[in-house]
Amino acid sequence: MKKALFPYVATGVVLAIATSANAQSASYSLNGASGLIDMPTAEFLPDGETAWTFTSTGTVYGGTLTFQMLPKLETSVHFMTIDDWFGGTLYDQSFDLKYQILSETPNRPSLAVGFRDFLSNGAFSSEYLVASKNVGSGLTVSGGLGWGRLGSYNPIAAPFGSRPAPSGTDIDFDQFFRGDAALFGGVEWDTPLDGLSVKAEYSSDAYTGEQVFGFEPKSPLNFGIDYEPVRGVSVGGYYNYGTDVGIRLTISGNPNRPIVPADLGVGPAPVNPRLGEINRNESWANNPMATEALALTLSPVLEAEGIFIEEAVLTGSTIDLYIDNRNMPQTTKAIGRIARTLSIALPHSVEYFRITPMAGGLATTTVEIKRSDLEAQVDRANAGPDSWETTRFTDAANHLEEGAWSRDVYPDFSWSLNPIIPVNLAGNGSAASIDVLLNASAQYRISRGFSVSGSLTQKIYGNISEGAVPSTSDTPVRSNFALYNTGGPSLDRLTADYTFKLAPTTYARVSAGYLERMFAGVSGEVLWMPTNQNWGLGAEISAVQQRAYEDMFGFEEYDTVTGHASLYWDTGFHGIEAQVDVGRYLAGDVGSTVSLSRRFENGWEVSGFVTLTDMPFDEFGEGNFSKGVAISIPLRWTMPLETRSATGVALGTMGGDGGARLQLGDRLYTVIRDYDVVDFNETWGAYWQ
Amino acid sequence: MTRSVFAASALLLLGACSSGGTSPVVNVIKEVILPPKPDEAPAPTGSSTLTREKIDQYGLALIRARIEGEDITNLLTGTALNGHYVTYISSYRQNITMLGTLVTGTRGLGGDLLAVRNDANDPVAVLTPASDWPTALTRDYRFPGVGPAGKTISVVCNLTPSPATQITIVEVTYDVTPFTEVCKGDGVEFTNTYHTETDTGQIWRTLQWIGEKRGYINIDVLEPLTIE
């Protein structure tokens, strides 16, 4: 039996297990962020670390999503339930930030500042300064000063004055670091047993709100044990306040720590340089069938790697290819592999390879590679930077010149079946409610850019619609969302869509039909995004009518016109992209949405958004204002396969009528954002892979 | 004996593609991209089935490689020559590129090594009699990362010879001087070994670091590249 040198599937799995066993990772606190038990530390998780934590104590239970957004910035979103909080049950959603002011050195501790529950000024609102120092033998000592809830036990002073009462309607910046301050601290010891650590802390939290309904802390001292049997899974058990027991389960992952080793698979075709100046005659190009012959012969070779030639033109010196890369997560890798194949296949006279990747039926950026540069750079030590310097990038026209060869594939039908897990942060009187849905989607592509798409959803499990009653809102654009999710199947979408380019730098989309589960109508969008620019401008306008929730094809009376102007900015800083949308939302309210996302070069993306409009918090509905977070994880991160597919989870407020925007399919920026020079630069290392 | 890289000519006239039948373009691409058929190449695994006679009959530059810590060894055939860089390919299209005997690139093995910068007098890259090997050198190892240059690990290496000895690779015994190379830099430390033919400087057996994710690779040079 023949054996492979590197049997990548089995080896990859074994290696992943072998390298992950008993590895030590960061320490999580009971609230899911890095820390001791209830108290924070100045220690941080690895960059990009993303963790789900589930917690239960005698006073609070719920979940937390923690994301190390930047090497010095940790963010956490909590969905907690406090059963006994000032007279009733509190469902609290809160957002925390922790920033590293100083990193630890042999002569000084690390120093961090943190804000807990600072957007809504809720049950956990507090601020702190904390220092941590590893003093050797696995022992880390932390100590700090807390305000707000963290300044409620045995306060020492109020150094910056009294703390104003919460406004309840806005972010109370004037509360920060005001009022009583109290000391807290603790130690953590990484024992010699792999993955096992013990903790002890002195808490500055008096649990004032919980005391009203009977919780009686007997001691400020908390003790705990953390155990991480395998990297990515951590459990903890704690004895708190002399009276309470808490448990924690944390499941974590990191874009920089793939489950299977990166780059396992098939290597690229080797490049052999042409010899001298011989045989560069272009007379072969007089054959009118040359382009078609080449396209038909190259297609099976490239299709083996998931690359499809859509259009082609070949002259004696230049080849133009419009390609559809369906498998490789990094477009630059596909471009490099095409260039290598062309260097093998084409007559010596062809000096320029012009490769244009397409996305959603749209031609994006033309990448022009000079063949002699490729030959001179391949395998060399400086191949990456040198090839970046010699490659040209231009905005592509949506089609090649008239008479170009084009792939005869239309009409084309495709379908998919996917599970979806929407999580509502504030619905139906609970901190969070979850559905598990099965979604079937299909697309019939009539021509490039023109398609009819449909999407059906069937609920498998869930509680989002439990107890749903019609909303009393004057503009129930979203507050009846639960009524739309009572079972299924439901028609989420049935539209005709046309994408095209108004100019090489300007993309456009028109959609009509049942645009989303709650609205139908007509929608148009334009995006100006030159490829050499790290920002773009977009505009979208839609005329819609609300769909009936009991009838798959019927309508309610409410109709409106909604639209936004959008600014997109790829900051180039740690993969962070920003988006600002300003306009009129579905309920007629006017405001803006600010979105931030961090995208890693392997496709991981963690994003969040906040929408504020002129609709007052008390009219908004559940959640006070619209917000959400989402994680998208490429399947390539988990499996040794070349695939552009991704999986993920999104959490957001679904019941608020304010700040509600049409939930369309992919908007233009989402479709083309991987195809500009900024993104190509970030992933250009893959060009030689 | 002279060996040459299995290099396919790209001299193709597309006019021939329209004449019907199997395209010569496809044939050449297959020849270059796909590995030789099993009956054309020596047995790909298992040193017990590999003989010097088979290597000689094969007639191409050939190495035998194994990731340190794994059991499986396979053969890679020299398939492309760019400058002095030779790319060897396994039957599973996983690539190793070498400059002399310095591994400067891997593809498909996991944790690709993109490229290596070496000193001009690096004896692993350029044939150097054992007596002329330097005691120290520098290298830059490049891996995928953000930006065209990716992530670079720069190291300083110190070379130490050991007493001459003999090694046997597929029926051929060589008089070699073993060298140990300890490299440090950018938070990384690793140790390479080279069994160098004392007179010519040809390295026949080596253990080299190819990155933090993959560790080391063992390579036996079964038939080195020579250019006519």
Side-chain angles (χ1 to χ4, degrees):
Chain A
M1 179 180 166
K2 184 191 291 185
K3 294 182 179 179
L5 173 59
F6 310 106
Y8 50 85
V9 176
T11 305
V13 173
V14 171
L15 187 69
I17 294 170
T19 55
S20 64
N22 300 318
Q24 184 66 39
S25 71
S27 170
Y28 293 91
S29 67
L30 254 175
N31 80 353
S34 61
L36 290 165
I37 300 169
D38 254 3
M39 299 296 108
T41 66
E43 293 187 307
F44 283 76
L45 303 168
D47 186 30
E49 192 80 2
T50 306
W52 290 97
T53 293
F54 304 93
T55 297
S56 180
T57 72
T59 59
V60 62
Y61 58 90
T64 294
L65 171 63
T66 294
F67 174 49
Q68 188 68 37
M69 187 172 183
L70 293 169
K72 294 187 174 197
L73 180 63
E74 179 185 293
T75 60
S76 299
V77 183
H78 308 280
F79 320 106
M80 294 295 185
T81 300
I82 306 176
D83 281 333
D84 298 316
W85 179 257
F86 285 114
T89 299
L90 175 70
Y91 306 109
D92 190 84
Q93 308 138 38
S94 58
F95 183 57
D96 299 354
L97 290 176
K98 185 167 79 171
Y99 181 76
Q100 187 180 55
I101 300 170
L102 294 172
S103 58
E104 184 177 337
T105 69
N107 300 318
R108 71 157 192 243
S110 55
L111 181 66
V113 60
F115 300 83
R116 287 183 174 180
D117 199 0
F118 75 101
L119 284 181
S120 57
N121 192 19
F124 300 100
S125 287
S126 49
E127 306 84 44
Y128 58 86
L129 283 167
V130 62
S132 295
K133 182 80 176 76
N134 188 320
V135 295
S137 303
L139 195 65
T140 303
V141 180
S142 298
L145 192 61
W147 286 262
R149 182 165 178 146
L150 288 179
S152 59
Y153 180 79
N154 199 15
I156 56 172
F160 303 115
S162 60
R163 196 175 183 91
S167 66
T169 58
D170 211 342
I171 301 171
D172 296 315
F173 293 102
D174 59 350
Q175 285 206 330
F176 292 165
F177 302 103
R178 305 285 287 277
D180 289 340
L183 294 169
F184 64 84
V187 295
E188 178 178 357
W189 178 44
D190 287 332
T191 71
L193 296 174
D194 277 350
L196 184 71
S197 61
V198 296
K199 297 174 171 178
E201 70 177 14
Y202 171 84
S203 171
S204 60
D205 186 343
Y207 276 65
T208 307
E210 290 86 348
Q211 287 189 46
V212 173
F213 269 71
F215 179 72
E216 295 182 11
K218 296 178 179 176
S219 166
L221 299 178
N222 301 330
F223 304 92
I225 297 175
D226 285 354
Y227 182 54
E228 189 174 29
V230 295
R231 188 159 196 175
V233 179
S234 167
V235 294
Y238 311 97
Y239 181 66
N240 300 336
Y241 304 100
T243 183
D244 188 29
V245 173
I247 55 173
R248 173 189 60 79
L249 168 66
T250 300
I251 299 169
S252 61
N254 191 304
N256 301 313
R257 197 175 63 238
I259 290 177
V260 297
D263 309 328
L264 277 173
V266 175
V271 172
N272 277 297
R274 295 163 295 175
L275 301 175
E277 294 294 324
I278 61 171
N279 296 318
R280 300 205 177 179
N281 190 306
E282 297 185 11
S283 60
W284 58 268
N286 296 327
N287 185 332
M289 300 300 291
T291 297
E292 181 172 8
L294 176 89
L296 293 177
T297 50
L298 276 180
S299 287
V301 177
L302 294 177
E303 285 174 14
E305 302 211 73
I307 299 166
F308 292 78
I309 301 173
E310 293 285 337
E311 296 183 14
V313 168
L314 180 63
T315 68
S317 62
T318 304
I319 183 167
D320 256 299
L321 289 179
Y322 277 28
I323 60 100
D324 182 11
N325 164 38
R326 298 185 186 176
N327 288 357
M328 293 185 196
Q330 291 163 319
T331 305
T332 47
K333 182 174 180 178
I335 291 169
R337 296 214 168 185
I338 294 167
R340 284 170 177 263
T341 302
L342 295 178
S343 77
I344 296 168
L346 294 185
H348 287 181
S349 66
V350 180
E351 179 67 4
Y352 295 97
F353 304 155
R354 292 167 50 83
I355 302 164
T356 304
M358 293 174 38
L362 294 163
T364 58
T365 297
T366 297
V367 182
E368 183 177 296
I369 298 157
K370 193 175 179 183
R371 185 176 186 173
S372 49
D373 289 337
L374 175 79
E375 293 168 341
Q377 293 158 356
V378 66
D379 297 332
R380 274 37 171 214
N382 221 34
D386 286 351
S387 57
W388 178 255
E389 289 299 319
T390 57
T391 301
R392 293 182 65 239
F393 302 89
T394 53
D395 295 293
N398 206 31
H399 289 276
L400 283 172
E401 62 200 57
E402 194 172 339
W405 177 89
S406 63
R407 200 162 67 97
D408 184 19
V409 293
Y410 301 106
D412 180 39
F413 180 75
S414 60
W415 61 276
S416 65
L417 202 61
N418 299 297
I420 300 173
I421 306 177
V423 179
N424 181 30
L425 303 189
N428 304 333
S430 63
S433 48
I434 298 174
D435 270 359
V436 178
L437 312 174
L438 188 63
N439 173 262
S441 298
Q443 186 178 52
Y444 186 69
R445 294 197 296 167
I446 298 158
S447 64
R448 179 148 79 81
F450 184 32
S451 62
V452 176
S453 303
S455 175
L456 276 171
T457 295
Q458 173 66 49
K459 179 188 287 188
I460 306 298
Y461 167 81
N463 60 354
I464 287 181
S465 64
E466 284 180 6
V469 294
S471 168
T472 57
S473 167
D474 294 335
T475 53
V477 295
R478 293 293 183 217
S479 51
N480 278 331
F481 79 96
L483 299 175
Y484 288 90
N485 293 280
T486 53
S490 65
L491 180 67
D492 293 338
R493 175 177 164 84
L494 181 60
T495 59
D497 303 283
Y498 183 50
T499 56
F500 56 103
K501 295 186 84 168
L502 295 168
T505 59
T506 309
Y507 303 81
R509 171 189 59 80
V510 176
S511 302
Y514 295 96
L515 298 170
E516 53 141 286
R517 182 62 190 96
M518 302 184 207
F519 285 91
V522 179
S523 173
E525 183 186 3
V526 174
L527 172 65
W528 176 70
M529 182 91 197
T531 189
N532 286 294
Q533 191 169 285
N534 67 346
W535 58 276
L537 294 173
E540 176 185 296
I541 188 162
S542 307
V544 295
Q545 183 158 359
Q546 189 155 18
R547 295 175 61 190
Y549 49 80
E550 293 176 333
D551 178 358
M552 193 181 293
F553 297 101
F555 293 93
E556 303 288 327
E557 291 184 357
Y558 182 75
D559 63 70
T560 190
V561 174
T562 176
H564 289 81
S566 301
L567 169 65
Y568 306 94
W569 178 35
D570 187 340
T571 68
F573 179 70
H574 288 283
I576 291 178
E577 294 182 5
Q579 177 180 338
V580 179
D581 306 296
V582 179
R584 187 174 190 266
Y585 293 81
L586 282 168
D589 49 331
V590 176
S592 65
T593 299
V594 177
S595 309
L596 281 177
S597 69
R598 183 175 180 193
R599 304 178 68 212
F600 295 81
E601 63 263 33
N602 61 7
W604 259 68
E605 180 174 7
V606 180
S607 58
F609 75 90
V610 173
T611 298
L612 293 170
T613 71
D614 58 0
M615 182 177 286
F617 283 5
D618 55 354
E619 293 179 23
F620 175 88
E622 291 166 331
N624 286 350
F625 57 92
S626 182
K627 52 190 173 291
V629 294
I631 302 171
S632 177
I633 300 172
L635 292 184
R636 181 66 178 86
W637 186 82
T638 62
M639 295 188 295
L641 303 171
E642 289 288 6
T643 173
R644 293 178 70 88
S645 298
T647 187
V649 62
L651 300 92
T653 47
M654 287 188 273
D657 292 323
R661 197 171 176 192
L662 274 178
Q663 295 175 348
L664 297 173
D666 288 336
R667 289 185 161 93
L668 288 170
Y669 181 73
T670 306
V671 171
I672 63 108
R673 64 177 176 169
D674 287 339
Y675 301 89
D676 57 48
V677 172
V678 174
D679 281 86
F680 285 164
N681 179 277
E682 290 172 353
T683 62
W684 192 250
Y687 172 74
W688 292 111
Q689 292 185 270
Chain B
M1 184 176 295
T2 304
R3 297 284 182 259
S4 61
V5 171
F6 176 64
S9 168
L11 179 59
L12 296 172
L13 297 182
L14 277 177
C17 297
S18 61
S19 60
T22 304
S23 164
V25 177
V26 172
N27 289 338
V28 171
I29 291 171
K30 285 180 177 176
E31 285 178 2
V32 175
I33 294 175
L34 300 179
K37 294 175 183 174
D39 57 353
E40 295 173 350
T45 61
S47 57
S48 61
T49 61
L50 185 62
T51 64
R52 182 55 57 177
E53 182 183 8
K54 287 183 179 178
I55 295 171
D56 291 342
Q57 286 175 352
Y58 191 43
L60 299 173
L62 204 63
I63 62 172
R64 182 168 63 185
R66 178 176 60 84
I67 295 286
E68 181 73 356
E70 296 186 357
D71 296 330
I72 299 168
T73 301
N74 210 339
L75 299 179
L76 294 94
T77 306
T79 307
L81 174 65
N82 289 287
H84 295 287
Y85 293 85
V86 182
T87 296
Y88 297 84
I89 297 188
S90 76
S91 56
Y92 283 77
R93 269 189 63 185
Q94 291 160 321
N95 305 359
I96 296 174
T97 298
M98 298 169 70
L99 180 62
T101 318
L102 177 65
V103 177
T104 61
T106 66
R107 298 290 187 275
L109 311 185
D112 282 357
L113 169 62
L114 290 183
V116 175
R117 183 210 59 80
N118 58 284
D119 292 342
N121 66 337
D122 191 325
V124 187
V126 181
L127 283 179
T128 307
S131 57
D132 296 334
W133 276 43
T135 57
L137 52 85
T138 67
R139 291 198 195 109
D140 297 330
Y141 289 79
R142 289 191 165 148
F143 301 94
V146 178
K151 175 186 176 185
T152 300
I153 293 178
S154 300
V155 294
V156 176
C157 304
N158 291 299
L159 286 153
T160 306
S162 297
T165 185
Q166 289 187 326
I167 59 170
T168 300
I169 300 175
V170 191
E171 304 167 24
V172 177
T173 299
Y174 303 98
D175 295 320
V176 296
T177 299
F179 280 86
T180 300
E181 181 186 63
V182 178
C183 300
K184 297 179 184 176
D186 287 341
V188 170
E189 180 175 348
F190 56 87
T191 302
N192 296 335
T193 61
Y194 310 102
H195 288 84
T196 309
E197 195 163 49
T198 307
D199 296 337
T200 65
Q202 172 66 48
I203 297 168
W204 294 104
R205 174 169 290 165
T206 177
L207 175 72
Q208 290 187 44
W209 185 78
I210 55 172
E212 294 175 287
K213 293 177 179 172
R214 258 326 202 171
Y216 293 88
I217 190 166
N218 290 278
I219 292 176
D220 285 346
V221 177
L222 303 179
E223 199 59 63
L225 169 72
T226 54
I227 302 174
E228 291 179 307

